[in-house]
Amino acid sequence: MKVLIVGNGGREHALAWKLAQSPKVGQIFIAPGNGGTCQIGENVPVSSDDLEGLVQFARKQQVNLTIVGPEAPLVAGIVDLFESHGLLIFGPSRQAAQLEGSKHFAKTFMKEKGIPTAHSESFGSFETAVSYIKKRGTPIVIKADGLAAGKGVTVAQDLTTATQALRDCFENRAFGDAGSTVVIEDFLEGEEVSILAICDGQDYLILPSSQDHKRLLDQDRGPNTGGMGAYSPAPVVTPSLLEKVEKFIIHPTLEGMTAQGSPYKGVLYVGLILTREGPKVLEFNCRMGDPETQCVLPLVEFDLFDLFYSAAQGNLLHKGICPPSKRAAACVVMASGGYPGSIQKGIAISGTEKVQDEDVVIFHAGTGRAENGQLVTTGGRVLGVTACAESLSSALDKAYQAVGDIAFEGAQYRKDIGYRAINRVSSGSIPEKPGGLKAKS
Ligand code: GLY
């Protein structure tokens, strides 16, 4: 079978790596791919927002299944376009992708279906939004309605910050039309976890849970980023919590989308916050998480091609909750100097060849090849150094050992990936078990 993966990040490299393990997959194309994906398949010089170009490529190559990594082409309707050409594609339709493409849509949907989430109101003008915030008080969360490349959310601790966030949306138009409607949400306290479910419109398979680290610096300090690392499984996600997530979130979401005439097919990413009152949805995404994918996929023992192919056909092969792996995985992101601000590209990366541990995979994100074949940086997040082991602490040790072998000028990475899980075990709130977590001594 021929597979086309759309995207160019660490998530897409992880998808290519996992799909290449399927005996059913003969050829993998990645559009546009990166300096790592070209070692697994063929990079295709078509950008992920060139929907017509992607259709033409898939038709010409007679691609059997297309898998879409990032949200923007999904929200723009790539699935509807491919299907109108009779091409099989795994992802939600334009309308179903509104769960991520419009925060207002997602919050209205959750309110209607009784899915637990923070109280919120939507506004289309600066004045009405400011007057609401003055009444409601701080801390409060301001979200641009549309896609804003991960930058449209402000957690405001005071009125001045909240007012500035609203000014950025309505007056400075920092997010263009994506900020012309704003969702204002109550601030919730709790640990955040990511749950990914492969959905076929009716049924779902929940993949191993994970937690990512969004802040740039250790101890969750510094600016927000696309994610500086992740680990799986998240020990805080117990079987009884997962049951609640299935019953009160995933099941009603799929049922509700079908009732609205937009059955949800694709990966449903549930960004959860674990509050005292129980799990609540912080956000839905219509694709896999990055870097969560890099540590979740190594723990999935099913053939990923079978899962995506059957889900795309509306008849998911395995349903329910993925059997727990005996192993744990950790991903440490190495980023360019200056990230998440402006960065310099084209910096030589050395040492990847020194990493010989078979439990370690280096997923590429912002990398490319110079004319002489040298691996160079091309983006903010450069590599996702991922390791698996019988415990999270061993996986982290292996990942950090590999990180120590790799170098590029200005490289930055967090030194405390997984700290919450490790602390949880050290404090005794999760018993040590084989294949689970082991506290660092
Ligand atoms: N790691 C967060 C996301 O993929 O949205």
Side-chain angles (χ1 to χ4, degrees):
M1 293 277 193
K2 289 185 183 179
V3 175
L4 168 63
I5 299 170
V6 177
N8 65 348
R11 166 183 51 209
E12 288 75 26
H13 190 181
L15 284 165
W17 171 83
K18 189 72 181 175
L19 286 162
Q21 293 167 19
S22 168
K24 292 176 188 141
V25 174
Q27 200 171 0
I28 300 180
F29 301 104
I30 311 96
N34 60 37
T37 57
C38 60
Q39 292 172 326
I40 296 179
E42 188 181 326
N43 283 357
V44 179
V46 182
S47 124
S48 60
D49 54 16
D50 178 3
L51 307 194
E52 279 298 337
L54 292 166
V55 162
Q56 294 319 323
F57 178 83
R59 283 174 61 130
K60 190 163 161 227
Q61 289 292 336
Q62 300 186 314
V63 165
N64 301 99
L65 177 66
T66 297
I67 294 150
V68 187
E71 63 278 11
L74 293 164
V75 172
I78 190 172
V79 168
D80 312 58
L81 182 67
F82 268 59
E83 288 180 347
S84 73
H85 285 269
L87 293 163
L88 190 66
I89 182 164
F90 176 64
S93 66
R94 186 167 192 257
Q95 185 54 32
Q98 286 297 293
L99 280 179
E100 177 167 2
S102 166
K103 306 271 185 289
H104 172 64
F105 173 91
K107 294 295 287 192
T108 309
F109 173 82
M110 285 188 266
K111 249 181 240 175
E112 277 173 18
K113 307 297 172 200
I115 295 168
T117 188
H119 173 84
S120 73
E121 305 271 340
S122 300
F123 298 90
S125 80
F126 176 76
E127 291 73 23
T128 52
V130 168
S131 96
Y132 174 76
I133 286 177
K134 283 184 180 156
K135 270 193 281 161
R136 195 85 188 164
T138 54
I140 200 147
V141 183
I142 318 249
K143 295 181 171 177
D145 174 53
L147 295 185
K151 297 196 171 84
V153 178
T154 303
V155 179
Q157 298 296 338
D158 52 60
L159 194 59
T160 312
T161 311
T163 308
Q164 185 56 46
L166 292 173
R167 235 181 254 298
D168 285 344
C169 288
F170 290 116
E171 292 177 2
N172 304 333
R173 294 193 48 82
F175 311 111
D177 287 346
S180 56
T181 296
V182 158
V183 171
I184 303 182
E185 197 174 74
D186 287 357
F187 174 77
L188 297 179
E189 245 170 305
E191 231 177 282
E192 292 181 30
V193 297
S194 307
I195 303 288
L196 309 177
I198 296 177
C199 307
D200 70 359
Q202 192 177 350
D203 290 306
Y204 55 85
L205 177 73
I206 300 181
L207 301 181
S209 60
S210 56
Q211 278 184 299
D212 75 342
H213 296 262
K214 292 198 175 72
R215 300 295 193 111
L216 179 71
L217 304 174
D218 288 1
Q219 304 304 317
D220 295 319
R221 292 172 302 112
N224 261 325
T225 69
M228 294 299 289
Y231 55 95
S232 175
V236 71
V237 181
T238 58
S240 72
L241 178 75
L242 258 192
E243 257 176 48
K244 283 190 191 136
V245 172
E246 272 192 282
K247 186 167 168 195
F248 299 116
I249 297 171
I250 295 185
H251 193 70
T253 300
L254 295 192
E255 209 172 65
M257 291 302 283
T258 300
Q260 290 198 183
S262 321
Y264 194 94
K265 205 186 269 192
V267 172
L268 180 68
Y269 170 133
V270 185
L272 274 185
I273 183 155
L274 309 180
T275 71
R276 280 200 197 150
E277 293 137 36
K280 296 191 180 186
V281 178
L282 274 185
E283 62 174 359
F284 282 128
N285 292 320
C286 62
R287 37 88 192 165
M288 299 193 78
D290 192 344
E292 290 96 324
T293 303
Q294 289 90 309
C295 60
V296 167
L297 288 186
L299 303 183
V300 174
E301 279 156 26
F302 293 129
D303 181 318
L304 193 66
F305 176 80
D306 280 344
L307 293 178
F308 286 168
Y309 192 74
S310 60
Q313 290 179 312
N315 191 16
L316 185 58
L317 193 58
H318 300 283
K319 303 179 177 81
I321 297 176
C322 219
S325 169
K326 291 199 169 59
R327 312 194 90 201
C331 170
V332 178
V333 168
M334 298 182 77
S336 294
Y339 176 77
S342 61
I343 54 142
Q344 200 188 328
K345 297 181 183 176
I347 295 175
I349 302 168
S350 64
T352 53
E353 72 293 343
K354 288 190 206 154
V355 180
Q356 296 295 337
D357 188 332
E358 59 181 25
D359 285 333
V360 177
V361 195
I362 302 168
F363 292 122
H364 292 225
T367 73
R369 299 269 164 192
E371 270 176 20
N372 63 1
Q374 167 68 50
L375 189 65
V376 294
T377 63
T378 61
R381 288 189 290 175
V382 177
L383 300 169
V385 181
T386 302
C388 288
E390 74 287 353
S391 68
L392 178 59
S393 52
S394 305
L396 285 162
D397 285 345
K398 282 171 181 276
Y400 277 114
Q401 190 159 359
V403 165
D405 284 335
I406 302 168
F408 52 91
E409 202 188 314
Q412 47 174 345
Y413 60 89
R414 278 181 63 159
K415 320 279 182 306
D416 66 345
I417 298 303
Y419 79 90
R420 275 205 197 87
I422 299 293
N423 289 348
R424 196 171 287 280
V425 179
S426 310
S427 70
S429 59
I430 298 277
E432 187 179 320
K433 60 179 172 36
L437 288 162
K438 210 163 62 182
K440 265 187 194 300
S441 51

